[in-house]
Amino acid sequence: MNILVLGAGQLARMMSLAGAPLNIGVLSYDVGSGQLLHPLTRHVFDQTLVQAIADSDAITAEFEHIPDEVLSQCEASGKFYPGKQAVKVGGDRALEKALLEQAGVPCAAYQLITERAHLDLAIAVLGFPLVIKTCQAGYDGKGQWRLYAEADVATVWAQVAAFLAADALHSIIAERMVPFQREVSVIGVRDRLGNIAIYPVTENEHVNGVLTLSLAKAIEGEIHQQAVEAFSRLASALDYIGVMAIEFFDVDGQLIVNEIAPRVHNSGHWTQQGTLCCQFENHLRAVAGLPLGSTEAIGPSAMINVLGQASIPAEVLSVANVTSHWYGKACRPGRKMGHINMVAGSEALLGEKLLALSAFLPGESYPGVAQRGGELMRE
Ligand code: ATP
Ligand code: MG
């Protein structure tokens, strides 16, 4: 079976790795260069997108920022999962907010902004502090501004206006800054028959808008229930097929959606060691029309992102049940280069592992590892 993935980054690479045992071959379409290549070996095939679409059994995407004509071309084949609409919604905060409202899933209060007067309205309706976000172009906290007081408005607006002027297609939203206690996410999968399977809720830490650490421990039943409810509503509203991730803010035990990713997600990388069927395999199974695999956790798990580091100390791998996953990318400051996964028999043992790792992973580059390790051991 052949699956064509729109995108040629680490997510396609990990789909390729997960597909091999199932005898599923993954081919990447690099949207930037227009090349078709093997997501692991990077071998470039002398093939057109039209041929690749014709040769594939199913088509999927590893990111949202894909030209409309490519999405339409894939959609027309009848083999594209989760399909054009889901990818469009995930890539545009305005469409995403509209979907959340339609599905009755709570999200941060917001106002759309296309001119200066809308910002004043947003300030009047939502109050300070505000987070201003580009609707179409953001990732890893890019394309965002924080607005704390009237005194910052002119400076922030100048930056926003420059951004809007640079590309007529861009629009902006202002969101109320949510006073959350923590950020969590849920990764779920829906197959072609409408069956749903959901992984345990993950607690995520971000620094400057970038995910640094995920913890999958036994999260309170009520939080899990809210996450399952949100997933079910959104997946049925989109008639979704494949893996979808939902990021939430936890405000006093109430989950408020931050954003949706119509794809496998960084906060689900722990499932590679923490479950018997990881998010990449389940996504392939869903889009290929195969039965879903178990989403049950083997034990409490964690994932640490390797950001802007070309290597990690070898001692990391001396800690039991710790694995490293590299993406084969050139190193640049802050770039997602790989991740470290671990699974343990209990939360206290997971804490011990994190503490052991913190001896090899400096806190400036790997924030939160020592602290979360200590907390897990005390809990
Ligand atoms: P991703 O790479 O996850 O797609 P992104 O650039 O699309 O990231 P968001 O997830 O919207 O952006 O924001 C990045 C981070 O900024 C969030 O994880 C959260 O920590 C913070 N943040 C975003 N919106 C808000 C908000 N309304 N209130 C408080 N914090 C926020
Ligand atoms: Mg995010």
Side-chain angles (χ1 to χ4, degrees):
M1 174 137 16
N2 296 309
I3 294 185
L4 173 64
V5 178
L6 304 178
Q10 64 260 25
L11 301 178
R13 176 184 168 104
M14 290 186 274
M15 281 187 224
S16 171
L17 288 165
L22 285 165
N23 217 14
I24 291 178
V26 173
L27 178 66
S28 270
Y29 175 65
D30 185 335
V31 173
S33 69
Q35 286 177 325
L36 286 141
L37 51 96
H38 192 287
L40 203 51
T41 65
R42 315 306 288 177
H43 176 81
V44 176
F45 297 96
D46 183 19
Q47 213 182 5
T48 63
L49 179 58
V50 172
Q51 286 168 326
I53 290 174
D55 292 349
S56 67
D57 297 288
I59 305 167
T60 190
E62 66 146 20
F63 76 131
E64 294 87 88
H65 306 303
I66 298 166
D68 202 71
E69 41 307 353
V70 173
L71 293 177
S72 298
Q73 218 177 326
C74 293
E75 189 76 2
S77 73
K79 305 186 274 197
F80 186 25
Y81 305 106
K84 181 174 175 175
Q85 190 206 356
V87 174
K88 283 274 197 208
V89 166
D92 187 324
R93 293 184 195 274
L95 297 176
E96 193 172 292
K97 292 283 192 186
L99 170 75
L100 288 161
E101 280 172 349
Q102 178 209 324
V105 177
C107 62
Y110 72 102
Q111 293 277 322
L112 288 174
I113 296 188
T114 49
E115 55 181 85
R116 177 69 173 79
H118 297 157
L119 182 58
D120 293 328
L121 183 66
I123 293 167
V125 174
L126 305 170
F128 293 112
L130 291 174
V131 184
I132 319 280
K133 300 179 177 180
T134 150
C135 286
Q136 293 90 5
Y139 71 99
D140 287 347
K142 294 182 176 67
Q144 290 195 12
W145 300 266
R146 302 287 195 265
L147 194 49
Y148 293 96
E150 199 61 52
D152 313 328
V153 173
T155 323
V156 169
W157 178 254
Q159 292 171 19
V160 171
F163 190 85
L164 285 171
D167 188 337
L169 293 174
H170 285 159
S171 55
I172 299 275
I173 60 166
E175 262 181 20
R176 181 175 287 151
M177 199 178 288
V178 178
F180 58 81
Q181 279 88 43
R182 60 177 175 176
E183 293 189 76
V184 302
S185 62
V186 75
I187 312 284
V189 58
R190 187 169 178 270
D191 71 12
R192 291 194 196 175
L193 302 174
N195 297 307
I196 279 177
I198 296 183
Y199 291 99
V201 168
T202 308
E203 219 175 291
N204 302 312
E205 286 194 27
H206 296 87
V207 176
N208 300 325
V210 182
L211 181 68
T212 50
L213 181 82
S214 289
L215 281 183
K217 43 182 203 170
I219 288 226
E220 314 83 277
E222 212 174 293
I223 293 287
H224 188 75
Q225 234 8 76
Q226 290 179 49
V228 168
E229 177 73 22
F231 182 88
S232 310
R233 282 173 182 245
L234 294 170
S236 28
L238 289 167
D239 197 13
Y240 196 90
I241 294 163
V243 162
M244 174 168 64
I246 310 173
E247 294 183 82
F248 301 93
F249 302 122
D250 179 354
V251 185
D252 304 323
Q254 294 297 313
L255 293 189
I256 294 175
V257 172
N258 172 27
E259 60 173 356
I260 302 166
R263 54 171 167 83
V264 290
H265 192 258
N266 196 169
S267 68
H269 290 358
W270 66 268
T271 61
Q272 289 171 308
Q273 270 66 47
T275 65
L276 288 181
C277 187
C278 71
Q279 63 166 349
F280 303 101
E281 177 170 346
N282 254 330
H283 183 66
L284 292 177
R285 286 188 186 214
V287 304
L290 298 170
L292 299 179
S294 169
T295 49
E296 205 180 312
I298 294 167
S301 302
M303 187 248 17
I304 302 167
N305 263 345
V306 179
L307 301 171
Q309 306 287 318
S311 64
I312 51 172
E315 289 95 327
V316 164
L317 298 180
S318 70
V319 180
N321 295 325
V322 172
T323 58
S324 67
H325 299 256
W326 291 95
Y327 308 153
K329 303 197 298 195
C331 192
R332 286 203 295 266
R335 194 174 197 200
K336 286 180 179 170
M337 297 300 297
H339 64 273
I340 299 164
N341 276 345
M342 71 217 69
V343 55
S346 70
E347 288 182 14
L349 290 171
L350 183 66
E352 261 179 41
K353 278 189 208 302
L354 284 168
L355 272 190
L357 289 175
S358 72
F360 313 120
L361 300 172
E364 321 83 78
S365 306
Y366 300 94
V369 176
Q371 192 197 327
R372 297 312 298 249
E375 284 167 13
L376 281 170
M377 289 184 67
R378 286 191 296 275
E379 268 169 21

